[in-house]
Amino acid sequence: MTAQLPGTAARPSAPPLTRPAEEAPKSGRRWGFLAGALAASWILPAALDALKLDIVLIPVFVLAIASVLRVGGGLLDRLVVATLVLCGAVLALGLVLSAGSWALIPVPTAGLILSAVSVSAWLTGRRPRLPLRLRSSDLVILGTGAVVWHYIHRPVAGRSTTEQLPYILSVEDRFIHFSIFDAVHKLGGFPFMDQEAGKLLVKTPTEAVYPQGSHFLLAWFDTFVRSTADLGDPVGAYTRYYTYVLVAFAALCALIVWAARWVGGPRLTGWRTAAVCTVVAAVVVASPLAGMVRVGFDSQIIGLVFMTVSIALIVRPAMGWGSYALVSAAALITVGYAYNILAAFPAIAMVAAAVVYRRRQRRHRLRLYAVQLAGAAIALVPSVLSLTAKFDVAAQTQAPGMYLSFDRSLLVGLVLLVLVLCLLPGNRRSGVSRSLLLTLGGATLVTTAFGVWQLITIDALSYYFEKLAIGVLVIGLIGLGAAGALLRPFGPWARALSRRWWTEGAAAVAVSATALSLFGGFQWGVPSVDRAPTSFQKSELVLWSKIKPGDLGPPARTIIRRDLKRVDPDVPVIALYSSNGYMNWRVSFFATTLMGDSGVAAAYDELLVVWLGGDQVGEEQYRSSFAPLTRVIGRIPGPKVTLLVGDPTIAERLRRELPPATGKQITVLDAPLAG
């Protein structure tokens, strides 16, 4: 990236896809270098694994890949791209190693990754090199992540593992996500690669049809954190998983700001960079995106992380054709594995880039398309395998579910604003603007068509339309980077001031404060009318930071501290701590999740109407609950079941009546709910 000279006019041109630095000098291929690099690629992971320091390898991977790539003019840019490539490589490698259950063993995966980097450096003749350049706007990007982390992590900060439970058990979808994370650990790879074994570990048909890329990446990372593929204490593992999700959300918010800056390109300098980055950061922080944590959209969060980086790099491909091909393949794989419905957007961006940059891609077109098709083929493997489970795609796309509620005006306004920005005279000849225009327009068209189809078939906009709408919202936020080209640098009238070091800094601070006030709802200490909460204080992020503990805390603590120690870990458990069916279902689901036996959870749905287990249960209520309870027990595989019953009278009655009614060996334990 090159900085624009002060006072010069910006020419709306996009960086080419081919640069001389991309070509490999033949003289750089030395056999001694290759032999030494390959040896180090295996010796270093083995040594760190022996010392239980495998976590050190994660930054080593990123830095090694970044040192071979030639993308971006700053260190942060290079690290972001390297992380995307690393995650794509891990998922592709995991697909192969899952067949032998080796995907989560640190030394083999580390050795293969570092060997691939070594061979790439040898083939290209590149010496490892990192750009040490930092930009002042890096502080805005990293600061956005830090602010989001502060608020999103606040409810559990400083609390012990068990004290966190009332906060992190607020949504049942996260039980399913954790069970996939657990299954990846136990199987040593993707559950969809061993669906028969996966059925015992996750709620069917999750093992075959649900995107598992985010869970695989988190499980893979977890093995390096712990220097073992063993999950360890399930409660500790659950809180670690939850922490990883929070980190991913903070990273998403920071990366949206980074992506907007990347789209802005090298013309985005000085106070203009601060303006664009701060506006995007303010909208992100004040937006309803934090609600994805509340409703348990864990996979979508990580899918959006990869989609954000992918869209930015495809729309503005400021790199050689080889790096662009690698990034394209990584984009399809990461988004397709993490949340496959969002993969449509990077695919649209690639088609747009192929049209806009067709002349620049002409020389290497066949090789570029071959790599992109290979990435698409790998990305489609999980979706294709899901069809083996007789997955009804049409029914699933119409399925209801929890959704993130947000004002449509934000979505519509962002789309229209970015479309106008791309069509203004200062932008419309730019390849970046044209590529962005086609990408956002295509994403909006696909989402609208999907919504129309839902309205025709089910007369409502349901779950997956809202998922696509959030993706379009994020693309709109990225597209705000196009506004930077329309902002003018200091002109001749400010020449005297521009020679002073503080001019750009003062302008950046002023425009940042303006953006945070207008778009983030910050009032800088000025009281609201009637002392009412500000719009920032009413944002999803801040409200989450003040969340109260959920009602699942006491039963969760009871089952962890006392009852899981009393039961056979190989026998399914049903917890009837209270006479509330919803509570009984949630606690039973949570217990099977911790026991690594979520496969039986598919049989638990009728526990929602089992209002039985606490005191003050009348005869009519007992009888109406007894029948569905026997059906639940009948659907559980195996001859044995353990019941934890809160009321001793109900427990004694169930001991007498359940075995004859179900034909199974049932152990009923007195389990009064602890305070």
Side-chain angles (χ1 to χ4, degrees), residues 151 230 375 624:
Y151 284 102
D230 180 50
S624 64

Side-chain angles (χ1 to χ4, degrees), residues 160-166 168-169 178 181-182 186 226 231-243 556-562 564-565 590-591 593-596:
S160 67
T161 300
T162 52
E163 288 173 340
Q164 292 181 30
L165 291 176
I168 66 179
L169 301 180
F178 176 75
F181 173 79
D182 182 21
K186 288 184 169 62
R226 291 175 42 78
L231 192 66
D233 171 54
V235 180
Y238 192 98
T239 55
R240 286 199 313 276
Y241 169 80
Y242 179 73
T243 302
R557 284 194 294 267
T558 300
I559 202 162
I560 289 169
R561 293 175 177 174
R562 185 190 70 194
L564 286 185
K565 301 174 183 178
F590 178 60
T593 301
L594 291 183
M595 296 171 68

Side-chain angles (χ1 to χ4, degrees), residues 10-14 263-265 267-268 272 276 315-316 356-357 417-438 478-488:
R11 207 167 11 166
S13 60
V263 168
R267 296 177 294 175
L268 202 59
R272 298 178 298 169
V276 170
V315 164
R316 180 177 166 257
V356 173
Y357 302 112
L417 175 59
V418 174
L419 295 180
V420 169
L421 289 173
C422 291
L423 293 172
L424 288 175
N427 273 335
R428 63 189 176 201
R429 292 185 179 180
S430 164
V432 176
S433 293
R434 284 182 286 157
S435 182
L436 178 62
L437 180 67
L438 291 175
I478 296 170
L480 291 179
L486 304 177
L487 301 175
R488 303 285 295 177

Side-chain angles (χ1 to χ4, degrees), residues 325-377:
L326 188 62
V327 164
S328 300
L332 291 172
I333 293 169
T334 52
V335 182
Y337 277 57
Y339 207 71
N340 52 6
I341 192 173
L342 295 177
F345 297 150
I348 291 171
M350 285 181 200
V351 174
V355 172
V356 173
Y357 302 112
R358 59 188 179 279
R359 293 182 180 177
R360 298 171 187 177
Q361 294 181 3
R362 182 179 301 165
R363 181 180 175 187
H364 304 286
R365 183 178 298 169
L366 293 179
R367 285 179 287 179
L368 172 61
Y369 292 172
V371 175
Q372 290 178 335
L373 286 174

Side-chain angles (χ1 to χ4, degrees), residues 382-400:
S383 299
V384 171
L385 288 179
S386 70
L387 299 178
T388 64
K390 299 180 180 179
F391 181 47
D392 189 339
V393 178
Q396 185 64 26
T397 55
Q398 297 173 342

